[in-house]
Amino acid sequence: ILKGEVVRTMQQALKQAGSNLSYRLEHIQDLSDAAFMNSNLHSYLSVGADDQSIAIQLQVIKDLRYLVDTVQLNTDVFHVRLFVDKSKLYAGEKINFFALDSLKGRPWYSDIIEANGGIVWTGDYKETYLDVGDVNIFSSARMLRDPNHYDKVSGVLMVDVKENLVSDILSALQFSPGTQVYLVDSSGSVVYHPDKTRIGTVIDRSILDLLKQGSEGIGSLKLDAEVNDVMYTTLPSTGWKLVAQGTESQLSQRAVKLTQRSEWTSLLEYIALFLLLPFVLLTIIVRGMNRRVNHVITVIRKEGTESLKDLSPVNGDFHMLERSVDHLIIRVRTLVEEKYKAQIHEREAQLQALQAQINPHFLYNTLDTINWIAIGKGAADISQMIDSLAKYFRLSLNKGKNIVSVEDELRLAQVYLEIQQSRFPDTFDFQLEIQPGLDAYLMPKLILQPIVENALLHGIRKAKGKRGAIVISVREDSGDLLFTVSDNGIGMDERLSRQLLMEAMPEARNDGSGSGSSYGLFNVNERIKLYAGDHYGISISSQPGAGTTVTVRLKAECEELTRQS
């Protein structure tokens, strides 16, 4: 039974390692797909040496270098190599660009061509680089075709990752000593093994037949007169099998150790149960009851209601103890705590429900693809605005955290205003003024952005024909953080400014600004009070035609002090 538990535990650990490894390799494939979809890449590779000038090829080198450097910014990517026709000016660079003929002698070159543009993963092999020397790597390779002559191969794109991306994950598996963990492809060839001499060899036929029975499983085989237990799982990203192979004696030895440990544990439990436990329990129960009775009675006398003031001191009165605990401690405190937590959870759930509607991974990938298209089209202004929008969402989502630094909150407001400057050019300016030393202070997320949005859309944008200005300042005042957002827009009367903080105003705005409603200030004010208390919140100073100043007062909490507490 214990041996079966050991095998099942190892299989679960193997599946988890396979999932982690497959996720990392799929990420490399996503990067290769993003580069592959760059339309300029295929057109550059189709440029011939006879009908184009050296100046054009130098520009091509510059653009391809930018593409390669962008992919190599990812921490999992070790190197990007592009194999092109030897007639290209940059084919002899031998750092990122190589002649296609140098790849034709590799054993997996035919697999790359047969894949017809699909990704082919190589096994673990040693590659020599001019800048770093010999390195063991895995490569994600794919063929590139000439768009003008589709039957012609214009190049091969290879994204290299270091061997330790695989070895670090597999070496973390805590299996029995002597258990072999390795990777094999669909033909049974070993593509990774801690023993380098095993890479490229073919596994035993009986093991290969077992691996072909499904995507994962466990089996026992007799190899070299000894029974071997084989566990395997499939990596969907590559089709490889992750295999753990150990002899029955190795697994049985671990089971024996577990059995011995279980026997000693059981013996000690019996001794404690029949000899020591009754006396220990009796002592604990008597002393605990005494202490609880005295403590609860003391608390009730200090915080009890009038019905308990006339009670005389009683020792051992369990009826009084139950009544006091039930009516004064459990019910009152539980109800108060539950009500308070329910309010907090309700607010958090509302915010998280709105944030959860955006899938950050899909959003970032989509914005990145649009950015590539804009760069490829030479639309620098579109690329800049998309980059600003990506920064805005990263700052606003903040990995699901509700508390951010003052620096990040100001950056979010700055990025929002930069986007609006692109949307409404030459209509307003903005300025940030921050007292030195306040960057690391903490505050709730999305406090300033709704205020800045109101200042722009309801203040400046409604002042027709007037160039507006927004000033955001931060300073410390008597141990509090004081934020002010000032604009020179149309302003408002005192009644409306009070009403904005007293209740939500869902009336529609038909001014073409896209603002929708005025829930912002009311929502922000409520969140501040829940976070810091009723002494904190928002105040508004405004007069019609004279602009508006919104002041936010928050409790000053530094990140270092929060960690220490």
Side-chain angles (χ1 to χ4, degrees), residues 33-209:
D33 289 340
F36 181 74
M37 289 189 292
N38 190 316
S39 59
N40 289 336
L41 173 65
H42 301 277
S43 60
Y44 288 160
L45 297 185
S46 67
V47 175
D50 300 329
D51 58 346
Q52 298 291 343
S53 67
I54 294 179
I56 293 179
Q57 290 209 33
L58 289 176
Q59 181 61 37
V60 169
I61 294 174
K62 180 180 177 182
D63 292 343
L64 290 179
R65 171 69 62 189
Y66 177 76
L67 172 64
V68 168
D69 291 342
T70 301
V71 177
Q72 288 183 162
L73 287 175
N74 188 275
T75 55
D76 283 342
V77 175
F78 173 63
H79 224 71
V80 175
R81 291 181 290 167
L82 194 60
F83 293 83
V84 300
D85 189 87
K86 62 182 179 181
S87 63
K88 298 292 187 292
L89 179 65
Y90 49 89
E93 188 247 9
K94 294 185 179 180
I95 294 179
N96 293 107
F97 307 104
F98 302 84
L100 184 61
D101 291 342
S102 65
L103 191 65
K104 293 181 179 180
R106 298 300 180 96
W108 18 260
Y109 178 74
S110 59
D111 295 334
I112 297 174
I113 300 302
E114 291 174 3
N116 198 26
I119 292 179
V120 174
W121 279 95
T122 70
D124 187 4
Y125 70 100
K126 182 179 291 185
E127 186 62 64
T128 301
Y129 298 89
L130 288 178
D131 49 350
V132 294
D134 293 340
V135 181
N136 283 86
I137 60 170
F138 291 81
S139 295
S140 167
R142 71 194 316 159
M143 177 188 67
L144 305 173
R145 289 194 179 274
D146 189 331
N148 299 322
H149 306 282
Y150 198 70
D151 58 339
K152 179 182 177 183
V153 177
S154 62
V156 172
L157 173 65
M158 299 189 73
V159 181
D160 302 333
V161 296
K162 283 189 176 181
E163 177 195 70
N164 59 12
L165 183 142
V166 176
S167 60
D168 289 349
I169 294 176
L170 300 188
S171 61
L173 294 172
Q174 298 180 354
F175 288 167
S176 302
T179 302
Q180 303 178 57
V181 181
Y182 54 91
L183 288 168
V184 297
D185 60 17
S186 57
S187 64
S189 179
V190 178
V191 296
Y192 169 78
H193 198 288
D195 182 3
K196 302 299 182 187
T197 61
R198 296 284 303 277
I199 297 176
T201 62
V202 180
I203 61 175
D204 188 271
R205 183 66 187 180
S206 58
I207 298 179
L208 180 58
D209 292 338

Side-chain angles (χ1 to χ4, degrees), residues 8 14 21 46 58 71 220 264 357 366 388 449 453 467 488 521-522 557:
R8 281 191 291 272
L14 191 71
L21 181 57
S46 67
L58 289 176
V71 177
S220 295
W264 279 104
Q357 294 175 3
T366 304
S388 298
Q449 191 272 339
E453 181 178 359
R467 185 178 181 88
N488 60 349
L521 295 181
F522 174 78
E557 292 184 345

Side-chain angles (χ1 to χ4, degrees), residues 21 117 136 145 179 185 243 246 303 317 383 385 442 449 518:
L21 181 57
N136 283 86
R145 289 194 179 274
T179 302
D185 60 17
V243 183
E303 302 179 6
D317 191 347
S383 175
M385 191 166 184
L442 300 179
Q449 191 272 339
S518 298

Side-chain angles (χ1 to χ4, degrees), residues 269-308:
E269 289 176 350
Y270 291 145
I271 293 175
L273 181 63
F274 291 106
L275 298 180
L276 301 177
L277 191 58
F279 300 101
V280 174
L281 287 177
L282 184 60
T283 303
I284 293 175
I285 290 172
V286 172
R287 294 184 60 185
M289 289 172 60
N290 239 350
R291 186 167 54 253
R292 285 190 62 186
V293 169
N294 292 332
H295 176 71
V296 172
I297 292 177
T298 301
V299 171
I300 293 173
R301 287 178 176 173
K302 289 182 178 180
E303 302 179 6
T305 61
E306 293 183 0
S307 60
L308 295 175

Side-chain angles (χ1 to χ4, degrees), residues 399-536:
K399 298 181 181 179
K401 298 179 180 178
N402 292 326
I403 304 301
V404 298
S405 65
V406 171
E407 180 183 10
D408 285 344
E409 184 71 5
L410 289 173
R411 284 178 58 197
L412 177 62
Q414 179 180 357
V415 170
Y416 170 79
L417 289 173
E418 289 174 351
I419 293 174
Q420 295 292 19
Q421 279 185 330
S422 299
R423 181 184 175 192
F424 306 118
D426 300 325
T427 59
F428 74 96
D429 298 314
F430 70 90
Q431 181 179 355
L432 299 179
E433 300 175 354
I434 180 170
Q435 179 180 327
L438 301 183
D439 290 347
Y441 279 77
L442 300 179
M443 62 183 295
K445 182 171 63 178
L446 294 175
I447 294 297
L448 293 181
Q449 191 272 339
I451 301 175
V452 173
E453 181 178 359
N454 278 350
L456 174 61
L457 300 181
H458 297 300
I460 293 176
R461 287 290 296 164
K462 290 186 176 181
K464 305 296 183 181
K466 177 181 179 182
R467 185 178 181 88
I470 297 176
V471 179
I472 304 174
S473 65
V474 188
R475 62 186 176 87
E476 187 174 4
D477 179 42
S478 302
D480 293 336
L481 288 179
L482 211 61
F483 298 82
T484 59
V485 179
S486 301
D487 67 79
N488 60 349
I490 62 172
M492 70 184 83
D493 57 34
E494 183 179 355
R495 181 190 63 81
L496 180 57
S497 64
R498 287 199 307 268
Q499 188 177 3
L500 286 175
L501 298 180
M502 294 294 293
E503 57 181 319
M505 298 177 63
E507 68 273 9
R509 303 280 182 178
N510 296 320
D511 55 5
S513 64
S515 60
S517 62
S518 298
Y519 280 104
L521 295 181
F522 174 78
N523 186 293
V524 170
N525 193 38
E526 290 297 308
R527 287 175 55 213
I528 293 174
K529 292 183 180 299
L530 283 173
Y531 172 75
D534 292 335
H535 299 293
Y536 299 91

Side-chain angles (χ1 to χ4, degrees), residues 218-338:
I218 303 172
S220 295
L221 303 170
K222 192 169 185 180
L223 302 173
D224 298 329
E226 189 170 7
V227 176
N228 282 250
D229 289 299
V230 178
M231 292 147 280
Y232 66 93
T233 187
T234 304
L235 306 185
S237 56
T238 61
W240 294 343
K241 303 283 187 179
L242 177 59
V243 183
Q245 179 182 349
T247 63
E248 192 175 47
S249 60
Q250 292 166 346
L251 297 180
S252 298
Q253 184 179 4
R254 185 175 179 183
V256 168
K257 291 181 179 179
L258 291 174
T259 304
Q260 292 175 347
R261 186 183 306 171
S262 177
E263 290 174 350
W264 279 104
T265 302
S266 300
L267 181 60
L268 292 176
E269 289 176 350
Y270 291 145
I271 293 175
L273 181 63
F274 291 106
L275 298 180
L276 301 177
L277 191 58
F279 300 101
V280 174
L281 287 177
L282 184 60
T283 303
I284 293 175
I285 290 172
V286 172
R287 294 184 60 185
M289 289 172 60
N290 239 350
R291 186 167 54 253
R292 285 190 62 186
V293 169
N294 292 332
H295 176 71
V296 172
I297 292 177
T298 301
V299 171
I300 293 173
R301 287 178 176 173
K302 289 182 178 180
E303 302 179 6
T305 61
E306 293 183 0
S307 60
L308 295 175
K309 287 183 177 180
D310 297 331
L311 292 176
S312 58
V314 178
N315 293 324
D317 191 347
F318 290 101
H319 178 69
M320 184 193 71
L321 176 62
E322 292 174 359
R323 186 181 60 185
S324 301
V325 172
D326 286 342
H327 292 283
L328 295 178
I329 297 178
I330 294 180
R331 291 188 180 180
V332 174
R333 293 183 179 177
T334 300
L335 289 175
V336 171
E337 290 176 359
E338 286 179 352

